[in-house]
Amino acid sequence: MPEITLPTDHSTDPSLVIITNHLTKEFNGVAAVNEISLTVPRGKIFGFIGPSGCGKTTAVRLLVGTHQPTSGEVTVLGRAPQQFRRQDREKIGYMPQQFVLYPDLTVRQNLNFAASLYGLGWRERRASLVAMLELVELSEHAHKIARNISGGMQRRLSLASTMMHDPELLFLDEPTAGVDPILRNKFWDYFRTLREKGHTLFITTQYVNEAAYCDYVGVMANGRLLTVDTPAGLRHNAIGGDILLMQLDQPLPMEKFLALTDLPFVSGEINPVGDNTWRIVVEDASVALPELMEWTQTAALDVVSLREDQPSFDDVFLKLMQEEDRDN
Amino acid sequence: MITNTLRAITRIWAFVSKEWAEVMHQPRLLLTLIIGPFLILLLFGIGYQDESRTLRTLFVVPENSPMQEWIETYSEQFKGQLEFVGITHDADEADRRLRNQDVDLVVVVPMDPSKGINNNEQAVLTLYHHEIDPYEEAYVRVLGRIYTDKINEQVLIFVAEQGKVEAESLQEQTELALTSVTMLREALEEGDTAAASSSQQELHNSVAFLRLATTSSLAFLGAIEQTSGVPMDGETQLILTYLNSLQENIDTLSQLDADTADFSAEIALTQEIEIELDKATILLIDFQRIDSHILVSPFRSEVVSITSVTLQPIHFFVPAVISLLLQHMAVTIAALSLVRERRSGAMELFRASPVSAFETLTGKYISHFFLAGLLATVLTLLIIYVLKVPMLGDWGEYILVLAALLFTSLGMGFNFSLSARTDSQAVQSSMILLLASIFFAGFFLALYRFWWPVHIVSWALPATYSTSLLQNAMLRGQGVSLVLLLALTGIGILLFFMAWLRLKREMASE
């Protein structure tokens, strides 16, 4: 389980492309982003998950430099966004939440414009244009007016225009919002392709299940960063361990239930989930699974099935939110 | 360094090509931008009628007034300006009809004009109207003045005609004097002093009467000479000189000595008198020949423009209309430009990208400048070749003025755009500017009509400069005023820098 740590000297670690330390942004005295501290390693997908209005977009704007922090520190590609030079901005791609391209221009003209903003010459643009149109599967629609293509195509066009200048670091603000599940999967395929090519992606999303596609996940609520972890680590920490599902061919007697709770590898609650099936929270599923099988045999219990269960990220997210509410 | 410059040019060009592509994808918009202004001008050209208004006029004349006949006769002379509705004796009825707008003008003739004149007072013709437009009211005032001038002229013509009748009798007196002087000479030649004395007395009486009558009859002619300061062939003076000389010569002949045998000196004198009387007769005949209208209105004016072409009323308005239309168009497209980028969220994209405020603004300036320039070209061609508006000046200077106008108007538009939060706010700003320009840029009211502080507003409007510059260039064929052109360009440069700084601030981090 990889550990996300904050190095002592941020600027000297080239493996970290984003570093924030108590980053805060207030609007009229209200904190939209509240003391966020995180690091994002190079060549990874960092997912930023949280409910609508929790401060994800503000956080992205602080990272791309369109917003100035009220307090705290932020370093992106080794430099504070407020001090970005042109060369720094050329390494960054930013896809805002809404479709901000020009509806009266064709797909090709929009991509050309986006690339020109980054100073790409005609030859570079031409090469990149073909590649991007292919990547987002819009080659056949290149000459269509942007307003006449579907919403999904517009999102793909936005994504392609963000990538036209081949940025090192991509900030994608809810790229899959309002996109159908099939296209959403395609998007994540693109993102993985980009990661394989060495790009770093900072992606915000409302879809909790998309956390599973990220290398690291930051969970935000009410402007605060609740946790940063790998998807597996997030799940483990939220639930308090791994989950085993055990189905018996008969009801579990009380003395056996009590003996089960006393087992050393059981770290959390044991709850019935119906049809003689029990949900057991254990420290480590890989260790607990054989030991539990052995205990059932000793206890003369007939097991129909015994397996590890992966709780959905909805459950994980819900749990984290409940904890956040309780803390508040 | 070169790479950076090339990249900057690429970024500027990104905006130029983007703006053009957006316009090209909206052919209807393009057509409206080109054809719309021209149609407005065309309609103005066709619709504008340079004709004076005919006022339906009712006369209120007291019963049995001698003026009634005169009014009926002379109303014909004002056919273009007055439509003779009729004559009434009832002032209340006239008032009611004026209030009901059945008539436009009521002229009330004084009860007894001669009484006032005898009392050393002018007789007053009162013109009642119901106009609310100050220009129409001024028109009524001018018409009233012309009308009374005409009446006064008719009175003078009458007096002049009387003078000419008197001159006719003078001619008869001259002929009598001639007969007397001939008889005098013959009597002197025969040495008949008694007959000579009798003839001399007759001659003396005739010339004395001539002197008296001529002085008053020639008063008109004398007045003309006095007013102009230049004698009209010195005719008046000549006649009077001849008559004075005649009088002196005749007085010399009054002392005839009956004992003298030689009257050769007196005979020579009578011959001289004959010649002078002949000359006086010729002059009096000349005086009679002068038309009474010319006598009472010896002067008239002729207006000749030193421009080489005849200018129609529409021609005067065209430079102002071009200025207003191009200013409005440039201001509006620029005003909407940045607001839309901001509202669509594209501005956020620019802020995160390497594009600078200078590059953004320059790109937009260039694209809008050439777009507006294209429209200005088409508009100019249509005006010159379809509306046949003359272009007397230099085309290069014309282009310079339009370039300065567009540059400055775009600056104004971009500054509006940076202040506006919505499209409608941007459009409202450009509409207010248009309204201000219609009133204060010299479109239909000359600048001198305004109180001086208002001139500050006038000279803050690009259209004020271009209207003045284009009028001189197009209609007078004069070179453009460098001061005005530089002032207009200076404002444009100032607005560019203002817009640049404001955009820079907007594109910086919040």
Side-chain angles (χ1 to χ4, degrees):
Chain A
M1 199 177 292
E3 193 74 30
I4 306 295
T5 54
L6 203 67
T8 316
D9 183 2
H10 304 147
S11 58
T12 54
D13 189 345
S15 69
L16 298 174
V17 289
I18 300 172
I19 303 156
T20 72
N21 189 15
H22 299 290
L23 183 63
T24 301
K25 177 68 181 176
E26 289 177 0
F27 293 107
N28 301 320
V30 179
V33 168
N34 197 358
E35 303 229 340
I36 287 182
S37 299
L38 59 84
T39 56
V40 178
R42 188 177 295 276
K44 301 289 179 192
I45 298 175
F46 188 96
F48 217 44
I49 297 177
S52 180
C54 70
K56 300 188 296 293
T57 298
T58 306
V60 171
R61 286 174 174 165
L62 286 165
L63 297 176
V64 295
T66 62
H67 278 5
Q68 230 168 359
T70 307
S71 62
E73 292 162 15
V74 55
T75 309
V76 176
L77 296 170
R79 193 180 293 275
Q82 311 315 311
Q83 291 157 7
F84 273 163
R85 299 164 303 169
R86 279 182 199 277
Q87 294 90 324
D88 298 317
R89 292 201 182 278
E90 282 167 6
K91 292 178 191 166
I92 294 170
Y94 172 44
M95 178 180 167
Q97 205 167 323
Q98 294 93 10
F99 178 71
V100 298
L101 295 169
Y102 298 93
D104 291 319
L105 299 188
T106 64
V107 168
R108 177 183 285 271
Q109 284 168 335
N110 266 304
L111 290 177
N112 257 321
F113 174 68
S116 301
L117 285 184
Y118 286 83
L120 262 66
W122 180 75
R123 281 173 195 279
E124 295 163 287
R125 283 206 304 269
R126 201 174 163 208
S128 182
L129 193 86
V130 173
M132 284 306 126
L133 283 171
E134 272 177 23
L135 181 72
V136 296
E137 298 170 32
L138 284 175
S139 300
E140 287 175 19
H141 308 282
H143 296 288
K144 285 186 180 169
I145 299 289
R147 77 161 76 249
N148 297 336
I149 60 175
S150 68
M153 284 182 186
Q154 287 182 347
R155 294 304 288 169
R156 279 189 274 164
L157 173 59
S158 288
L159 180 64
S161 66
T162 309
M163 298 189 299
M164 277 293 286
H165 60 290
D166 194 26
E168 209 177 299
L169 172 61
L170 278 148
F171 289 96
L172 309 174
D173 195 4
E174 302 204 11
T176 54
V179 172
D180 66 76
I182 297 168
L183 187 61
R184 214 182 299 166
N185 281 335
K186 275 190 178 173
F187 266 42
W188 281 101
D189 286 342
Y190 301 149
F191 301 155
R192 279 190 284 269
T193 309
L194 288 168
R195 181 187 57 191
E196 302 314 315
K197 288 180 179 174
H199 296 271
T200 307
L201 292 95
F202 190 98
I203 302 170
T204 71
T205 179
Q206 284 185 52
Y207 300 117
V208 177
N209 288 334
E210 288 182 347
Y213 309 135
C214 303
D215 295 309
Y216 301 106
V217 179
V219 179
M220 258 194 108
N222 303 321
R224 295 199 307 122
L225 184 64
L226 304 184
T227 181
V228 178
D229 212 327
T230 60
L234 198 67
R235 190 182 276 138
H236 185 90
N237 290 338
I239 304 301
D242 294 338
I243 294 170
L244 293 178
L245 273 184
M246 180 177 74
Q247 188 180 16
L248 303 172
D249 70 345
Q250 61 195 34
L252 183 67
M254 181 52 74
E255 65 277 12
K256 304 281 183 194
F257 173 79
L258 292 173
L260 184 59
T261 57
D262 285 340
L263 291 173
F265 53 82
V266 174
S267 61
E269 294 171 343
I270 302 171
N271 294 312
V273 289
D275 196 21
N276 295 329
T277 305
W278 294 85
R279 188 173 179 274
I280 306 159
V281 177
V282 296
E283 189 70 43
D284 184 348
S286 57
V287 175
L289 193 69
E291 288 188 15
L292 183 62
M293 183 57 86
E294 197 181 320
W295 178 81
T296 54
Q297 285 167 1
T298 313
L301 292 169
D302 290 329
V303 177
V304 177
S305 68
L306 179 60
R307 61 180 176 84
E308 186 181 354
D309 183 42
Q310 293 284 336
S312 73
F313 273 98
D314 285 334
D315 294 337
V316 173
F317 192 68
L318 200 65
K319 191 102 178 164
L320 286 167
M321 291 299 125
Q322 282 167 351
E323 280 174 18
E324 164 69 6
D325 287 345
R326 218 174 21 245
D327 292 347
N328 284 338
Chain B
M1 180 68 182
I2 295 171
T3 312
N4 285 342
T5 309
L6 283 176
R7 283 179 176 248
I9 293 169
T10 305
R11 282 190 283 266
I12 290 170
W13 189 248
F15 285 99
V16 177
S17 51
K18 187 266 284 184
E19 299 286 349
W20 271 90
E22 274 192 305
V23 173
M24 292 303 161
H25 283 138
Q26 301 173 72
R28 238 183 271 178
L29 170 73
L30 201 63
L31 205 67
T32 311
L33 286 175
I34 294 175
I35 300 297
F38 175 70
L39 283 181
I40 293 170
L41 260 177
L42 187 68
L43 196 66
F44 180 73
I46 295 168
Y48 185 83
Q49 291 180 308
D50 188 31
E51 287 174 6
S52 57
R53 185 178 158 204
T54 306
L55 297 170
R56 295 165 298 165
T57 309
L58 179 65
F59 290 85
V60 180
V61 183
E63 280 185 68
N64 304 321
S65 169
M67 294 279 290
Q68 182 160 339
E69 192 186 335
W70 190 89
I71 285 165
E72 282 170 350
T73 309
Y74 288 98
S75 290
E76 281 295 303
Q77 290 189 10
F78 287 89
K79 241 182 176 175
Q81 293 85 37
L82 296 184
E83 182 193 330
F84 182 68
V85 173
I87 291 176
T88 179
H89 306 305
D90 185 351
D92 291 338
E93 187 209 340
D95 180 70
R96 185 183 53 76
R97 291 182 71 179
L98 183 63
R99 286 179 195 281
N100 288 344
Q101 298 185 359
D102 294 338
V103 293
D104 304 310
L105 189 66
V106 169
V107 181
V108 178
V109 175
M111 185 66 86
D112 187 357
S114 56
K115 195 177 171 185
I117 294 163
N118 288 337
N119 288 337
N120 200 23
E121 287 172 359
Q122 285 182 306
V124 180
L125 287 170
T126 312
L127 278 72
Y128 290 96
H129 67 87
H130 207 188
E131 300 298 332
I132 51 170
D133 182 343
Y135 288 96
E136 294 296 334
E137 192 183 342
Y139 177 70
V140 171
R141 284 181 195 283
V142 171
L143 190 66
R145 201 158 54 235
I146 292 170
Y147 191 74
T148 45
D149 283 352
K150 199 74 189 171
I151 293 173
N152 290 336
E153 187 188 280
Q154 291 304 322
V155 172
L156 286 172
I157 286 172
F158 181 76
V159 174
E161 288 294 328
Q162 289 299 311
K164 281 162 78 175
V165 171
E166 279 179 32
E168 224 174 276
S169 70
L170 287 178
Q171 207 179 323
E172 285 167 13
Q173 285 294 326
T174 317
E175 279 161 13
L176 275 175
L178 260 172
T179 311
S180 300
V181 79
T182 307
M183 284 169 72
L184 173 63
R185 181 174 47 79
E186 284 169 359
L188 285 170
E189 282 168 353
E190 288 167 8
D192 183 353
T193 50
S197 289
S198 167
S199 295
Q200 189 273 335
Q201 192 54 49
E202 281 175 17
L203 181 62
H204 176 84
N205 293 341
S206 293
V207 170
F209 178 77
L210 262 175
R211 276 191 68 192
L212 192 70
T214 309
T215 308
S216 64
S217 297
L218 294 179
F220 278 111
L221 216 55
I224 296 161
E225 287 177 359
Q226 216 165 16
T227 310
S228 64
V230 181
M232 290 167 63
D233 298 331
E235 285 184 6
T236 319
Q237 199 56 46
L238 264 176
I239 294 171
L240 293 172
T241 307
Y242 290 145
L243 292 174
N244 286 336
S245 170
L246 269 171
Q247 192 69 57
E248 281 172 21
N249 290 339
I250 290 161
D251 289 345
T252 311
L253 287 173
S254 64
Q255 305 298 321
L256 287 173
D257 188 355
D259 299 330
T260 307
D262 183 13
F263 288 108
S264 56
E266 284 79 2
I267 290 166
L269 204 57
T270 54
Q271 283 170 340
E272 205 174 305
I273 291 168
E274 277 180 296
I275 293 165
E276 283 168 348
L277 274 172
D278 275 339
K279 284 180 180 173
T281 309
I282 292 165
L283 286 171
L284 282 169
I285 291 167
D286 282 350
F287 169 64
Q288 269 186 295
R289 271 210 302 267
I290 300 173
D291 192 318
S292 301
H293 285 90
I294 292 169
L295 271 176
V296 299
S297 302
F299 296 102
R300 70 182 178 90
S301 62
E302 276 183 7
V303 179
V304 181
S305 171
I306 57 168
T307 44
S308 54
V309 293
T310 309
L311 295 174
Q312 305 297 323
I314 186 185
H315 297 164
F316 169 73
F317 289 109
V318 161
V321 174
I322 292 175
S323 298
L324 281 182
L325 288 176
L326 290 181
Q327 177 192 276
H328 182 61
M329 198 168 58
V331 167
T332 308
I333 53 176
L336 287 171
S337 179
L338 289 170
V339 177
R340 286 188 175 163
E341 304 282 20
R342 195 189 296 128
R343 281 173 57 80
S344 72
M347 194 62 87
E348 195 187 339
L349 207 65
F350 302 160
R351 289 161 70 191
S353 75
V355 74
S356 68
F358 181 81
E359 290 160 352
T360 307
L361 200 62
T362 306
K364 284 183 172 287
Y365 255 91
I366 293 172
S367 61
H368 292 333
F369 183 83
F370 282 104
L371 173 67
L374 172 76
L375 301 180
T377 307
V378 177
L379 189 63
T380 303
L381 292 175
L382 287 170
I383 283 167
I384 300 295
Y385 292 107
V386 180
L387 290 182
K388 306 283 183 198
V389 175
M391 173 59 198
L392 305 177
D394 182 68
W395 277 107
E397 290 182 344
Y398 175 84
I399 292 166
L400 264 180
V401 172
L402 287 196
L405 168 70
L406 293 179
F407 175 66
T408 308
S409 302
L410 287 174
M412 217 157 238
F414 282 123
N415 277 284
F416 285 160
S417 201
L418 286 158
S419 303
R421 292 281 132 206
T422 61
D423 282 10
S424 55
Q425 276 179 15
V427 171
Q428 274 166 12
S429 303
S430 59
M431 288 307 289
I432 287 169
L433 185 76
L434 176 67
L435 202 62
S437 302
I438 288 171
F439 281 107
F440 304 122
F443 176 50
F444 66 88
L445 288 174
L447 297 189
Y448 75 85
R449 289 183 181 275
F450 296 110
W451 185 41
W452 71 264
V454 179
H455 286 209
I456 297 167
V457 177
S458 293
W459 290 110
L461 303 166
T464 307
Y465 296 86
S466 58
T467 299
S468 170
L469 289 166
L470 289 181
Q471 279 173 348
N472 276 341
M474 292 178 79
L475 308 180
R476 289 200 175 101
Q478 290 180 340
V480 296
S481 154
L482 204 60
V483 174
L484 286 187
L485 188 63
L486 287 176
L488 179 61
T489 314
I491 294 172
I493 292 169
L494 185 73
L495 288 169
F496 175 84
F497 279 104
M498 273 172 65
W500 177 31
L501 290 175
R502 293 177 72 188
L503 185 62
K504 203 172 169 181
R505 205 164 53 201
E506 186 168 322
M507 285 177 75
S509 297
E510 285 175 14

